[in-house]
Amino acid sequence: MWSNVLYIDLETGEHKIRDRSDLFDKYIGGTGVATQLLLEECPPHTDPLSPEAPIIFSIGPLTPIFPCVSKAVAMFKSPQTGELGESYAGGRLAMAMRFAGYDSIVIKGRAPKPSYLSIHDEEVKCKDATSIWNVSSIEVIGKILRDVEPGKGRRSIMRIGEAGVKGVSYANVNVDTYRHFGRLGLGAVFGSKNLKAIVISGTEEVEIPDMDAYKNMYKKLYEAVVDTEVMNKYHDLGTAANINVLNQLKGLPTKNLKQSSFENAESLSGEYFADNLLLRKIACSNCPIGCIHIAMLKTPFHKGHEFEVNHISYDYELIYSLGTNLGITLAEDVLRLIDRCERYGLDVMSTGGVLAWATEAYERDLITPPDTLGIALRWGDTDNYLKIIDRIVKMPNKFYETLAKGTAAASAEYGGEDFAINLGRLEIAGYHTGPASIVGQLVGVRHSHLDNGGYSIDQKAASQQLTEEQMVDKLIYEDYGRNINNSLIACLFARGVYSEDNIVDALASVGINKTKDELATIGREIFLAKYRFKKQEGFDLGDVKVPARFFETVSQMGNIKKETIANMIQLYREKTGV
């Protein structure tokens, strides 16, 4: 039905379009197809920052014709973990790809000079980006491109900041100002290819084979989204509502996970942000929810009541990473730190993890003032954290060069591996809820809490007394099932709407007939294909390590035992075959 793949060679500026119905018919779209393209295009042991390393974007067959099917996936080899890189972004990108007529885009090579891609329907050009290459502000780059590129109202603009240009391993890619391919370092891969930005728009129309069936299904899904309580949380306070909840449960990582609750949590809560700083809520294209919460931060910059006003998006993970995890007590200071990361194009979650590790390493004299160039690291010291962020991007000495590679690299060089809070070399999400969260992020294909929702399984285990094997079974069910959701690609916030039955019916309404059993089989095949790539690049579940800190700090389910984690990983390997 939709199966066009656009292949672009940055070295020559040439491109071609291929019909890959062989992949889309079998793997639906989204992450299913992107995984196969990664296996095809990325030779074993390729340097993730070399010209041979591909960047792949994909959308699904329901984009953008059903509510909340609003995301695109990026697949690449991660410079941070050295294995599978997979990240999702909303905004307008998925819509723009559909209207341009491309279901996947594969980018390889390295442009001979700073460049950006301009894609408008069949017109694909690699343009000179010399004038914006060293523009550090993500926001300014977006404004410049909006002025010179067509497609207003139907276009999407991806771009990297200075962190991507300099090759910080956890640099992100900004999408349409408030959304990101946030994790695993796609921004550094862009930078290594001399690729500053991509602008894409299109004017194609989407043809529906059976309009009556489609309208009925759309009405059913739309009403589930807007007329039930399934998604209320995401619109009201947003995920920031989790701050108070997890703090009460002792599941909120605080001060580099020295604690699992924070005495000042109320001042960083979703309720505080909503009452005092929230300016507006916006939505990705084709989504009726509006979960993107934008705060307004007024910063005095000159005597005489002169202010700079910034609009900054926030959610739970950002508040945890640059708030509780650093001992920050003022919500306004969290926004200052988020804003600095946004301007450079840094993954906020990894940046927060790096700053937290560095603060504890400084306390323990593993790093000293000569390393930090005289900047003292103290919990809650926002001004000095801002200075450290600047230097992570500028990399003025070996210490900052190492920080720019993440906590795994920094602790291997300076010590402190027991309190380097990462799983699979990726700084963790904000959940210290129990063993399923730890195992879930370790075994997850991209080491994300979103791979299988282990934190949610912990909460069920706390109330239902689940055994270790039952928790593992639930992790595997989510691992397989979410690969189908991510092949559509529906926002995971809407997973309560896109049930197995609704997915079957929605696909059928646009002419794609799959049974629930067939979808379950495809989900497992996609999972195993991702593990094939991970193993190809050297990842081995038998060698993973869990820093000691995870066992020292009490969680929602009490202190977690090493034996529990080891047993659950063994069960997971036996049941999945990985």
Side-chain angles (χ1 to χ4, degrees):
M1 185 174 178
W2 293 297
S3 52
N4 284 337
V5 179
L6 171 64
Y7 293 82
I8 301 172
D9 184 343
L10 291 172
E11 191 81 29
T12 63
E14 296 176 346
H15 70 278
K16 60 185 178 184
I17 301 168
R18 291 181 60 192
D19 180 353
R20 295 303 307 270
S21 53
D22 57 321
L23 296 182
F24 282 89
D25 288 349
K26 186 171 183 180
Y27 297 105
I28 301 174
T31 194
V33 169
T35 301
Q36 297 301 318
L37 290 170
L38 182 69
L39 286 164
E40 288 181 5
E41 299 292 337
C42 190
H45 312 302
T46 297
D47 180 341
L49 303 181
S50 69
E52 292 75 24
I55 298 171
I56 297 155
F57 299 104
S58 275
I59 58 175
L62 305 184
T63 305
I65 55 178
F66 282 112
C68 303
V69 186
S70 53
K71 293 205 170 190
V73 61
M75 201 72 81
F76 53 100
K77 183 174 178 180
S78 167
Q80 190 173 9
T81 65
E83 37 125 336
L84 185 76
E86 180 183 7
S87 189
Y88 294 81
R92 298 181 296 275
L93 176 59
M95 173 201 71
M97 285 179 65
R98 169 64 69 228
F99 288 143
Y102 304 118
D103 305 283
S104 294
I105 300 173
V106 177
I107 301 168
K108 295 187 75 171
R110 176 180 290 143
K113 62 182 179 180
S115 303
Y116 75 94
L117 284 170
S118 172
I119 304 170
H120 302 287
D121 291 318
E122 298 86 6
E123 183 180 279
V124 179
K125 292 184 177 179
C126 192
K127 295 185 176 179
D128 188 354
T130 304
S131 63
I132 59 172
W133 184 250
N134 290 314
V135 174
S136 60
S137 169
I138 288 285
E139 184 178 1
V140 172
I141 296 164
K143 287 180 179 177
I144 293 170
L145 290 173
R146 283 194 290 274
D147 283 343
V148 300
E149 286 290 322
K152 183 178 181 180
R154 298 171 72 96
R155 72 187 166 200
S156 176
I157 302 177
M158 294 180 268
R159 63 270 198 185
I160 62 169
E162 191 173 353
V165 169
K166 294 288 180 59
V168 176
S169 293
Y170 42 94
N172 68 24
V173 172
N174 181 287
V175 181
D176 303 324
T177 304
Y178 293 121
R179 299 290 85 188
H180 313 81
F181 289 112
R183 308 229 69 190
L184 293 163
L186 181 61
V189 182
F190 265 55
S192 74
K193 295 183 176 302
N194 275 337
L195 181 61
K196 185 70 172 180
I198 301 174
V199 183
I200 181 166
S201 74
T203 56
E204 281 199 4
E205 295 187 356
V206 178
E207 295 184 4
I208 304 295
D210 184 344
M211 189 57 76
D212 289 338
Y214 164 69
K215 284 181 177 178
N216 289 334
M217 195 65 216
Y218 186 96
K219 184 173 184 291
K220 179 180 180 181
L221 293 170
Y222 182 84
E223 289 177 350
V225 170
V226 302
D227 292 338
T228 71
E229 296 180 352
V230 175
M231 299 188 71
N232 277 356
K233 163 187 171 182
Y234 301 109
H235 176 75
D236 293 343
L237 292 178
T239 57
N242 290 343
I243 289 286
N244 274 341
V245 174
L246 286 164
N247 191 54
Q248 292 166 7
L249 294 173
K250 290 189 179 296
L252 178 63
T254 300
K255 296 181 179 178
N256 203 36
L257 196 52
K258 284 183 171 185
Q259 307 164 204
S260 53
S261 61
F262 187 36
E263 58 273 20
N264 298 107
E266 187 63 42
S267 66
L268 304 183
S269 65
E271 290 82 354
Y272 181 88
F273 272 83
D275 289 342
N276 298 281
L277 296 164
L278 179 63
L279 174 66
R280 60 182 175 138
K281 304 170 190 175
I282 60 176
C284 298
S285 63
N286 193 42
C287 176
I289 294 302
C291 74
I292 305 170
H293 288 59
I294 309 294
M296 182 176 73
L297 179 66
K298 289 176 63 178
T299 307
F301 67 88
H302 193 274
K303 292 180 180 178
H305 306 96
E306 302 293 340
F307 291 91
E308 178 184 20
V309 178
N310 291 308
H311 297 175
I312 303 163
S313 65
Y314 66 88
D315 62 28
Y316 168 70
E317 299 295 351
L318 310 193
I319 298 171
Y320 134 72
S321 303
L322 295 177
T324 68
N325 206 30
L326 301 180
I328 302 294
T329 58
L330 296 176
E332 291 81 358
D333 279 350
V334 174
L335 291 176
R336 290 171 64 201
L337 290 164
I338 294 173
D339 186 50
R340 188 63 58 91
C341 289
E342 288 283 16
R343 291 185 185 208
Y344 284 129
L346 284 167
D347 171 12
V348 169
M349 291 167 70
S350 282
T351 303
V354 165
L355 293 175
W357 171 85
T359 304
E360 187 165 350
Y362 191 87
E363 282 184 334
R364 294 171 178 242
D365 296 327
L366 296 178
I367 56 175
T368 60
D371 295 315
T372 64
L373 301 177
I375 303 171
L377 280 152
R378 296 180 292 260
W379 302 114
D381 189 337
T382 303
D383 289 340
N384 278 0
Y385 284 137
L386 290 169
K387 293 175 184 174
I388 297 288
I389 292 171
D390 290 342
R391 284 156 182 77
I392 287 174
V393 176
K394 307 295 182 186
M395 299 186 223
N397 66 7
K398 177 186 173 184
F399 171 67
Y400 288 106
E401 289 175 4
T402 309
L403 279 191
K405 297 175 182 175
T407 54
S411 60
E413 178 70 27
Y414 293 92
E417 290 178 301
D418 284 347
F419 58 86
I421 308 304
N422 67 79
L423 294 169
R425 300 181 66 84
L426 184 66
E427 290 70 29
I428 67 165
Y431 303 91
H432 188 54
T433 49
S437 176
I438 295 172
V439 174
Q441 290 177 81
L442 267 177
V443 303
V445 290
R446 51 185 165 133
H447 305 297
S448 166
H449 63 300
L450 297 173
D451 284 324
N452 44 48
Y455 59 97
S456 177
I457 295 170
D458 282 328
Q459 292 174 29
K460 292 183 177 70
S463 61
Q464 301 172 15
Q465 298 293 303
L466 299 179
T467 66
E468 292 171 4
E469 184 168 4
Q470 287 172 321
M471 286 191 281
V472 169
D473 287 341
K474 288 184 178 297
L475 287 172
I476 294 170
Y477 175 80
E478 292 292 335
D479 274 322
Y480 294 170
R482 292 186 185 209
N483 274 316
I484 295 302
N485 199 296
N486 288 335
S487 294
L488 296 180
I489 305 168
C491 177
L492 286 175
F493 286 175
R495 59 189 180 276
V497 174
Y498 285 88
S499 63
E500 292 179 355
D501 287 333
N502 281 346
I503 288 174
V504 169
D505 292 343
L507 287 171
S509 74
V510 296
I512 301 173
N513 295 305
K514 302 283 186 186
T515 66
K516 285 197 288 187
D517 287 344
E518 288 172 333
L519 290 175
T521 300
I522 294 169
R524 182 172 183 273
E525 288 179 357
I526 295 169
F527 169 84
L528 292 176
K530 289 178 180 178
Y531 254 90
R532 189 157 73 248
F533 182 83
K534 289 165 73 68
K535 289 182 175 179
Q536 166 187 299
E537 302 307 314
F539 179 74
D540 184 349
L541 256 183
D543 291 338
V544 294
K545 295 179 180 177
V546 180
R549 178 61 50 79
F550 285 94
F551 306 111
E552 297 166 351
T553 301
V554 68
S555 77
Q556 174 193 352
M557 295 177 68
N559 282 98
I560 302 163
K561 297 178 180 178
K562 290 182 181 179
E563 296 77 16
T564 299
I565 300 300
N567 187 44
M568 288 178 67
I569 291 174
Q570 183 60 33
L571 284 167
Y572 188 90
R573 296 183 70 188
E574 290 171 1
K575 287 172 179 281
T576 59
V578 299

